[in-house]
Amino acid sequence: MTTAYGLAGVALVVLATLLVGTLGLRFSRTTSDFYVASRTVTPLRNASAIGGEYLSAASFLGIAGLILAYGADMLWLPVGWTGGYLVLLVLVSAPLRRSGAYTLPDFAEARLESMAVRRVTSVLVVLIGWLYLLPQFQSAGLVLRTVAGAPVWAGAVLVTVVVAVNVLAGGMRSITMVQAFQYWLKLTALAVPLVFLLLAWRHDGAPGLSRDAPPRFTERTTVSVTTAVTVEVGEPVRVTANGRVDGRAYAGTPLDLAPGPHRVGRDTTLTFPAGADVPHATGTPARTDMEWAKPLDGREHSLYATYSLILATFLGTMGLPHVLVRFYTNPDGRAARRTTVIVLSLLGAFYLLPALYGALGRLYTPELLMTGRTDAVVLTLPGRVIGGLGGDLLGALVTGGAVAAFLSTSSGIAVSVAGVLGQDILRGGVRSFRAATLLALAVPLGLSIAARSLAVADVVGLAFAVAASTFCPLLVLGVWWRRLTVAGALAGLVTGGALAGAAVVVTIAAGPPSGLPGALLAQPAAWTVPVAFAVMIVVSWCTPRGVPPGVVRMMVRLHTPESLDVDRGTWRPKRV
C-alpha cells in the first residue's frame, strides 16, 4: 500500500469522526448529557456503541497477530471477549442500570454507603482505564509507522487530539454517536477486504497449513526491520544484508547466518532466498504448521495459560469501566438486557474475521514472525496478496478501520476515566468533566511514548485480568449477596488489585520470567480472581456489623423491575 492511500484512509476516518462527534455538541448541555447521555440511548444504538468501543486495537489488529504467531490457542480470545457479555447479561446488566448511578464508584458508594470504598474504586477505574489506553496509543503509532513511516509517537498524539476534541465537545452523547458509527465502519473495513483475500487465496490453489515444517519464504523476499530485534535462525542460510547485523555494518553484501540468535539493527534489510525458513523474533515461538494448528501444543504451561485467559476474558468484561458506563445510558433495566443480547450478536459477527486474517498471514506474510510486528498482519495482507490499485484501496480501507478502532475505544475509556476524575477529584459538572478529560488522556500518552512496545492483545489481556480481580467480585457480590460488608469489599479490592497489578507491572516493565512463575505472572487471573473472591467473602463473614444499614432497600431497588413503579430517581453521592 502506498503512503498516499494509507494517509487518505486515516484522514477520512479522522474527519468523519470529528464531524459525527461535533453533532453531539448540539444536544449536550446538561451534566447528565455529558456523563450518561441523559439515559435515553436505544438498545440498538447502545449496542452498536458498545461494539464500537469494545472492539479495540486488540480486536482489530491484536487477535490476528497473536493467531499468526501462536495459532489455535489464541482462538479463545474472541470466544472469551464475546462470552463475557453473556456473564454480564445474566448477572449485572439490569441491576446496574437500576442503581441509578453515573459511574462505577457511584454504584460502589450507593451499595456499601462508604466513601472509602468509593475512593478505592475510583483509583482502580483510573488505573484500568490508563492500562487499556496504553496499547491503543501504541497501536496508533504502529499504524502510522506502517502506512507512512512516521515516528511512533505521532499516532498516539493524533488519537489523543481527536479523542479530546470529541469528548470535550459533547461527552457521552457525542461519543455514543461516534462509536455506533465506528462499529459498522470497523466491520466493513475487515469484511470487504477479506472477501477479496479469500478469492485470491482460492485462485492461488487454496494452500493449506498441514505441513510438519516451519513457515518458509515461497520466493526471494526482502525483509525490512524498522526496529532492532533479536531473531532465532533454525537452519543455516545465506542472505544479502544492508544495515547492521550482530553489531557489524553491511552494505548489500552476502552474509551467512548460522543457527542461533542474531541481533538485527533498526532500518536494516535482509534478502532471503526462496525456500528459506523464516527466522523468528525472540519471544515468538518457532512452530511448525501442524503445531500451530493444534491447541495446547508448543507453549510452556499452555493448559494453565489457556484456562487463565478464559477466566480473565469471561469475568473481566463486567469489570471494564468503559463498558459498564454504557449500561447507565439505557432508559431502564429491560433495555439494558436487550442491549446486551444485541451486543452478543454484533461481536459474534465481528470476531469471525480476525482469525481468517491470522491464518492467511501465516501463508502470505510470514516475515512478520521475524520482525516481531505480527500486529501489522491485517494492514499488510491486502497489498501483499492482491497488490496494485485494488490492494492499495483495500489497504486504505483496513487502515481506516484500524484508526476507527483506536478512536472509538480511546473515546469510551476517556469518558469513563474523566467521569470518575471529574466527580471524585474535581468539583463535578461539565467544566470539571472537560478538565478531567485532558488529564485522562495525558498520562497514558506519556506512558505509551516512554514504555517498551508490547503485543496489543497481551496488554489488553492484562487489563482484563485486573478488572476481573477487582470489580468482578465487587459487582457480583454487591448485586447478589446482601452480607457484603465495607471491610470485605475494601479487602477484596485491595488484595485483587495489588496481586494483579504487581503481575502487570512485572510483565510490562521487564517481561515475565521463564517457567511456571512466568506463566503465573503473564496470565494471573486464574489465581488472583479466586483470591479476591475468597478475601471479600471471608472478611465480610468476620465483620457482620459492617453490613450497610440500607442494604435491604438497595437490594430491592436493584432487583425490582421498573414496571412495578418503585421510587428510584437518580442516585447522588451524599456529599453532593
Side-chain angles (χ1 to χ4, degrees):
M1 176 176 57
T2 61
T3 300
Y5 284 97
L7 290 178
V10 173
L12 288 175
V13 171
V14 169
L15 180 61
T17 299
L18 291 174
L19 289 176
V20 174
T22 51
L23 291 177
L25 184 59
R26 300 174 56 187
F27 307 104
S28 298
R29 292 292 182 268
T30 67
T31 299
S32 184
D33 283 331
F34 274 81
Y35 282 90
V36 290
S38 293
R39 309 184 193 277
T40 58
V41 184
T42 61
L44 178 58
R45 183 182 298 177
N46 210 14
S48 298
I50 290 174
E53 72 175 354
Y54 191 64
L55 299 174
S56 65
S59 297
F60 199 91
L61 300 178
I63 289 178
L66 287 178
I67 289 176
L68 167 59
Y70 294 96
D73 281 349
M74 294 298 105
L75 291 174
W76 279 112
L77 272 173
V79 172
W81 285 342
T82 305
Y85 276 92
L86 184 60
V87 180
L88 187 66
L89 168 67
V90 172
L91 295 180
V92 300
S93 61
L96 198 61
R97 168 59 189 88
R98 295 185 188 119
S99 70
Y102 274 150
T103 63
L104 191 54
D106 283 349
F107 169 80
E109 184 186 353
R111 170 62 179 83
L112 293 161
E113 303 177 21
S114 168
M115 283 299 297
V117 176
R118 180 189 181 94
R119 293 190 185 98
V120 173
T121 304
S122 299
V123 171
L124 289 170
V125 166
V126 173
L127 293 179
I128 291 172
W130 283 346
L131 181 61
Y132 214 106
L133 276 172
L134 177 62
Q136 312 308 317
F137 290 166
Q138 288 188 334
S139 298
L142 169 67
V143 169
L144 282 192
R145 187 176 184 87
T146 301
V147 170
V152 174
W153 57 263
V157 171
L158 174 65
V159 170
T160 301
V161 171
V162 175
V163 170
V165 170
N166 274 335
V167 176
L168 294 174
M172 179 60 78
R173 190 178 290 278
S174 174
I175 292 307
T176 297
M177 298 171 66
V178 170
Q179 290 173 335
F181 158 73
Q182 287 174 334
Y183 167 79
W184 297 104
L185 174 61
K186 285 184 281 191
L187 184 64
T188 302
L190 277 189
V192 172
L194 185 59
V195 171
F196 291 94
L197 291 173
L198 291 176
L199 290 174
W201 171 72
R202 288 290 299 175
H203 184 267
D204 197 27
L209 292 168
S210 58
R211 301 177 306 160
D212 190 17
R216 289 176 178 152
F217 295 110
T218 57
E219 58 186 17
R220 180 179 172 87
T221 304
T222 298
V223 180
S224 298
V225 179
T226 56
T227 57
V229 63
T230 300
V231 300
E232 292 284 340
V233 175
E235 297 290 336
V237 60
R238 168 164 286 197
V239 301
T240 302
N242 191 357
R244 299 189 67 84
V245 180
D246 294 331
R248 297 182 59 183
Y250 297 87
T253 54
L255 170 64
D256 291 320
L257 295 178
H262 295 273
R263 184 68 174 174
V264 182
R266 60 177 300 180
D267 298 326
T268 297
T269 61
L270 298 176
T271 302
F272 290 82
D277 290 349
V278 178
H280 285 59
T282 300
T284 302
R287 308 175 69 184
T288 67
D289 289 343
M290 292 184 66
E291 291 172 339
W292 177 88
K294 186 184 299 183
L296 304 178
D297 185 44
R299 283 200 305 159
E300 194 174 27
H301 303 290
S302 57
L303 184 63
Y304 165 81
T306 298
Y307 278 105
S308 186
L309 177 67
I310 294 171
L311 189 66
T313 52
F314 268 73
L315 300 183
T317 301
M318 74 172 67
L320 295 179
H322 65 292
V323 170
L324 294 176
V325 74
R326 295 232 59 96
F327 289 95
Y328 299 132
T329 66
N330 283 118
D332 50 44
R334 180 182 179 186
R337 285 199 178 98
R338 289 180 60 196
T339 295
T340 311
V341 172
I342 298 173
V343 168
L344 285 168
S345 302
L346 297 182
L347 295 185
F350 180 91
Y351 279 131
L352 293 174
L353 309 178
L356 296 175
Y357 276 90
L360 292 173
R362 183 86 177 181
L363 290 169
Y364 294 106
T365 59
E367 72 276 5
L368 297 176
L369 297 170
M370 171 183 168
T371 63
R373 296 172 62 241
T374 55
D375 288 336
V377 60
V378 172
L379 305 172
T380 308
L381 270 173
R384 178 65 54 83
V385 177
I386 298 172
L389 178 61
D392 286 338
L393 292 175
L394 293 175
L397 178 59
V398 171
T399 300
V403 173
F406 313 141
L407 294 178
S408 58
T409 301
S410 299
S411 298
I413 301 171
V415 168
S416 63
V417 174
V420 171
L421 293 176
Q423 286 202 72
D424 293 350
I425 295 180
L426 305 177
R427 297 181 178 181
V430 175
R431 181 173 296 180
S432 295
F433 179 88
R434 286 173 168 160
T437 298
L438 300 178
L439 178 60
L441 293 170
V443 173
L445 174 62
L447 291 175
S448 68
I449 296 174
R452 70 189 185 97
S453 181
L454 296 168
V456 179
D458 283 346
V459 182
V460 171
L462 291 173
F464 270 76
V466 176
S469 305
T470 52
F471 292 143
C472 174
L474 176 68
L475 288 169
V476 172
L477 296 178
V479 169
W480 296 101
W481 192 45
R482 66 178 58 192
R483 294 179 60 184
L484 179 66
T485 66
V486 172
L490 287 173
L493 288 173
V494 172
T495 301
L499 293 176
V504 168
V505 169
V506 171
T507 301
I508 291 180
S514 59
L516 182 59
L520 293 174
L521 291 175
Q523 298 289 347
W527 56 277
T528 56
V529 172
V531 168
F533 266 103
V535 169
M536 206 170 281
I537 292 172
V538 171
V539 174
S540 294
W541 277 340
C542 296
T543 57
R545 294 184 179 181
V547 175
V551 63
V552 174
R553 178 180 176 85
M554 188 62 188
M555 296 298 282
V556 169
R557 181 177 186 173
L558 293 177
H559 296 285
T560 303
E562 288 84 347
S563 59
L564 296 183
D565 197 24
V566 175
D567 180 23
R568 298 177 187 278
T570 299
W571 181 84
R572 293 288 188 274
K574 292 180 180 179
R575 56 188 174 78
V576 174

